[in-house]
C-alpha cells in the first residue's frame, strides 16, 4: 500500500458543560459530540527518504512541525522507529480555529492513516493514548461513531449508540478563536444550572428534534460573547429564523441552528445569503 486517502470530518458540540478546573490547567467537561459531513480530505503517500512533508490547500494552515498532523506522524515515527517517511496532502474544507475540531480530526485521521500506511498494527487503545497527547478532541475522531459522550478533558469518549441523523445550518463568522483563550477567560460563576446531558441523550435516542433544540447548551458561550461581542448579533440573527435551537460549537465562533429537515436548513441558507460568507448545510455523518 503506497497511498491512502481518507476523509477527516468536523464535529459539533450539542452539549458542553464545564465541571471543574484541573491541576494540569485544563478543564473537566461533559460534552456530546456529533460527527458532521463537513470533511477535509487527507492523502498519505510513502516517502522513501524518510521525511515527513505536508502541504495544504489553505494558506492559514501551517505545514511545518507545528501542524498537528506533523506531530502525529513524528510521534508514531519516533515511538515505533519508522524508517519510511510520508508525504501528506490536506485538502481543507473545515474552517480553521472555529470550534469544529478540524485540526483534532486531522490529527486522528493521521494516526489512523499512518497506522495503515506504515503497517504498524497498533491497537485502538494505543492510538487513543497517542490521541490524548495530541489534543483533547482527537480521541472522539478515532471512534467510528456519529455520537459520542466526552468526559474529563473531553478525551475520554464513550460511543453513543444513537441512530439520529440531524440537519443543521452552520454559520462560521470570519474570525479565529483559540480554545486556550476562551478557557483562560472562563469564569465558573457563569456556568448554567442545566445539567441535562442524560435528558439530551434520551431526546437524541427518541429523535425528538424540538426537545433536542431546547436542550442545546454551551457553558463557554458567555465567555465567547464577552471576548467577541459581535458574535451575539450573529446568534440573534439565527434565532430570528425558524430553527429549533441555536448554539456555539466548542469554543466558537461557529454557530449552528438545529433544523427540522434538510429543506428547512437550505431555506435558511438562502435567507442568509449575502449576510455571512461561510454558511453550510450540514448533517450527522
Ligand atoms: O487539548 P487542546 O490542545 O485542544 O486544548 C487547547 C487549549 O484549550 C488548552 O491549552 C487549554 O488551555 C484549553 N482546554 C481546557 N480544557 C479542556 C480542553 C482544552 O482548558 N478540556
Amino acid at each position: 500500500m503506497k497511498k491512502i486517502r481518507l476523509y477527516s470530518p468536523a464535529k459539533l458540540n450539542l452539549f458542553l458543560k464545564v465541571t471543574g478546573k484541573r491541576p494540569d490547567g485544563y478543564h473537566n467537561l461533559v460534552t456530546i459530540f456529533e460527527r458532521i459531513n463537513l470533511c477535509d480530505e487527507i492523502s498519505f503517500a510513502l516517502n522513501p527518504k524518510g521525511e515527513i512533508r505536508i502541504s495544504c490547500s489553505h494558506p492559514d494552515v501551517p505545514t511545518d512541525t507545528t501542524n498537528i498532523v506533523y506531530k502525529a506522524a513524528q510521534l508514531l515515527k519516533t515511538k515505533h522507529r519508522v524508517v519510511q517517511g510520508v508525504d501528506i496532502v490536506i485538502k481543507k474544507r473545515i474552517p480553521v480555529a472555529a470550534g469544529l475540531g478540524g485540526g483534532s480530526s486531522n490529527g486522528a485521521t493521521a494516526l489512523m492513516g499512518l497506522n495503515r500506511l506504515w503497517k504498524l498494527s497498533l491497537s485502538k487503545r494505543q492510538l487513543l493514548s497517542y490521541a490524548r497527547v495530541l489534543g483533547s478532541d482527537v480521541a472522539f475522531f478515532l471512534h467510528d461513531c456519529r455520537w459520542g459522550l466526552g468526559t474529563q478533558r473531553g478525551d475520554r469518549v464513550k460511543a453513543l449508540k444513537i441512530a439520529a441523523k440531524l440537519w443543521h445550518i452552520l454559520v462560521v463568522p470570519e474570525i479565529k478563536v483559540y480554545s486556550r483563550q476562551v478557557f483562560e477567560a472562563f469564569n465558573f460563576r457563569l456556568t448554567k444550572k442545566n445539567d441535562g446531558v442524560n435528558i439530551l441523550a434520551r431526546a437524541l435516542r427518541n429523535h425528538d428534534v424540538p426537545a433536542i433544540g431546547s436542550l442545546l447548551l454551551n457553558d463557554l458561550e458567555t465567555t465567547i460573547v464577552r471576548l467577541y461581542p459581535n458574535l451575539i448579533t450573529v446568534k440573534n440573527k439565527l434565532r430570528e429564523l425558524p430553527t429549533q435551537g441555536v448554539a456555539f460549537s466548542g469554543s466558537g465562533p461557529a454557530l449552528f441552528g438545529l433544523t427540522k429537515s434538510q429543506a428547512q436548513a437550505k431555506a435558511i441558507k438562502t435567507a442568509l445569503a449575502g449576510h455571512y460568507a461561510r454558511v453550510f448545510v450540514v448533517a450527522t455523518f
Side-chain angles (χ1 to χ4, degrees), residues 25-29 104 134-137 152-154 179-180 183:
Y26 282 83
H27 293 77
N28 281 326
L29 315 171
S104 304
L134 294 172
S136 307
D137 284 348
Q152 298 194 24
R153 281 161 52 205
S179 321
R180 175 188 289 270
F183 277 106

Side-chain angles (χ1 to χ4, degrees), residues 4 18-19 28-29 47 50 63 68 71 74 78 84 89-90 115 119 131 161 165 169 221 223 232 248 260 268 270:
I4 297 174
V18 184
T19 55
N28 281 326
L29 315 171
N47 175 315
T63 52
I68 190 165
K71 290 181 189 166
Q74 188 62 63
T78 310
Q84 288 164 319
V89 180
I90 307 171
N115 191 28
K119 297 192 170 65
K161 288 199 184 86
K165 176 175 175 177
I169 182 79
E221 171 169 330
T223 311
I232 202 66
F248 283 97
K260 275 194 267 191
I268 295 177
T270 308

Side-chain angles (χ1 to χ4, degrees), residues 184-211:
E184 273 175 7
F186 177 76
N187 182 334
F188 272 98
R189 277 176 295 140
L190 304 175
T191 56
K192 300 245 168 70
K193 284 244 160 51
N194 179 350
D195 49 8
V197 72
N198 295 322
I199 306 173
L200 176 55
R202 197 177 316 134
L204 284 167
R205 280 195 188 93
N206 295 337
H207 206 162
D208 182 345
V209 176

Side-chain angles (χ1 to χ4, degrees), residues 19-282:
T19 55
K21 179 131 195 211
R22 304 157 47 112
D24 62 8
Y26 282 83
H27 293 77
N28 281 326
L29 315 171
V30 177
T31 187
I32 290 190
F33 293 108
E34 176 189 5
R35 192 171 63 184
I36 56 167
N37 63 351
L38 175 62
C39 298
D40 294 340
E41 264 176 68
I42 312 186
S43 69
F44 304 88
L46 282 179
N47 175 315
K49 287 194 195 144
E51 297 159 329
I52 300 168
R53 291 193 307 199
I54 299 184
S55 65
C56 180
S57 59
H58 194 296
D60 289 356
V61 176
T63 52
D64 60 8
T65 56
T66 60
N67 188 308
I68 190 165
V69 168
Y70 189 100
K71 290 181 189 166
Q74 188 62 63
L75 187 63
L76 292 182
K77 201 165 152 52
T78 310
K79 292 271 184 194
H80 301 280
R81 301 194 178 125
V82 180
V83 179
Q84 288 164 319
V86 61
D87 290 323
I88 303 175
V89 180
I90 307 171
K91 199 186 265 181
K92 259 273 153 234
R93 293 198 196 91
I94 307 171
V96 178
L100 298 169
S104 304
S105 174
N106 291 177
T109 303
L111 291 176
M112 292 187 284
L114 293 172
N115 191 28
R116 278 168 55 192
L117 189 81
W118 287 339
K119 297 192 170 65
L120 299 175
S121 306
L122 299 174
S123 66
K124 185 159 166 196
R125 199 194 175 94
Q126 279 173 303
L127 292 177
L128 278 171
S129 74
Y130 294 140
R132 293 192 181 102
V133 174
L134 294 172
S136 307
D137 284 348
V138 182
F140 168 66
F141 294 104
L142 278 185
H143 288 82
D144 186 16
C145 62
R146 293 170 147 191
W147 299 96
L149 175 70
T151 53
Q152 298 194 24
R153 281 161 52 205
D155 61 334
R156 302 285 149 167
V157 178
K158 182 177 166 231
L160 297 173
K161 288 199 184 86
I162 292 174
K165 176 175 175 177
L166 302 179
W167 286 96
H168 312 276
I169 182 79
L170 175 66
V171 178
V172 189
E174 302 257 11
I175 53 165
K176 289 202 189 75
V177 175
Y178 292 94
S179 321
R180 175 188 289 270
Q181 189 195 6
V182 173
F183 277 106
E184 273 175 7
F186 177 76
N187 182 334
F188 272 98
R189 277 176 295 140
L190 304 175
T191 56
K192 300 245 168 70
K193 284 244 160 51
N194 179 350
D195 49 8
V197 72
N198 295 322
I199 306 173
L200 176 55
R202 197 177 316 134
L204 284 167
R205 280 195 188 93
N206 295 337
H207 206 162
D208 182 345
V209 176
I212 297 165
S214 70
L215 292 163
L216 299 176
L217 176 101
N218 188 334
D219 261 352
L220 299 175
E221 171 169 330
T222 319
T223 311
I224 297 168
V225 169
R226 183 155 47 86
L227 294 172
Y228 302 95
N230 288 344
L231 292 177
I232 202 66
T233 354
V234 188
K235 187 175 185 200
N236 289 340
K237 177 86 197 153
L238 263 176
R239 284 166 67 123
E240 281 169 17
L241 297 160
T243 64
Q244 303 291 306
V246 177
F248 283 97
S249 181
S251 50
L255 275 153
F256 63 94
L258 173 64
T259 58
K260 275 194 267 191
S261 62
Q262 181 183 24
Q264 192 179 45
K266 282 185 172 168
I268 295 177
K269 185 174 178 190
T270 308
L272 289 174
H275 284 90
Y276 307 105
R278 298 192 293 181
V279 182
F280 307 84
V281 170
V282 296

